[in-house]
Amino acid sequence: MKVRSLLTKFGFQKRSDANTGAITEALITAGVVVNPAIIRLGSDWQLDIDDWVFVSAEEVLTQPAPPAGHSELPRGWNADGRFDRLAS
């Protein structure tokens, strides 16, 4: 969605540090992530008002840790030899 649309969904007409911070905080509380961030970083806005952002549910993908001493790589992980070429 566009930054402008996100602001409108929250009832804001213009972008400010206060309202982008409030939007970001509300979304984080609801488990929603905006990427890239809509807040100002430094003295300049990183995004234009008509730039697109991705709004998605925050999901923590966890995988169980392999057993201690387990170092087996998945089959075919270097089937095309790409990592061998990078190493050389």
Side-chain angles (χ1 to χ4, degrees), residues 27-73:
L27 292 175
I28 289 171
T29 300
V32 177
V33 176
V34 176
N35 192 15
I38 60 170
I39 58 174
R40 185 189 321 239
L41 303 172
S43 61
D44 296 324
W45 292 101
Q46 302 301 311
L47 296 172
D48 186 54
I49 196 80
D50 288 318
D51 283 345
W52 290 84
V53 292
F54 293 96
V55 180
S56 59
E58 180 178 38
E59 294 179 11
V60 178
L61 301 176
T62 58
Q63 295 180 343
H70 185 267
S71 63
E72 183 180 322
L73 294 170

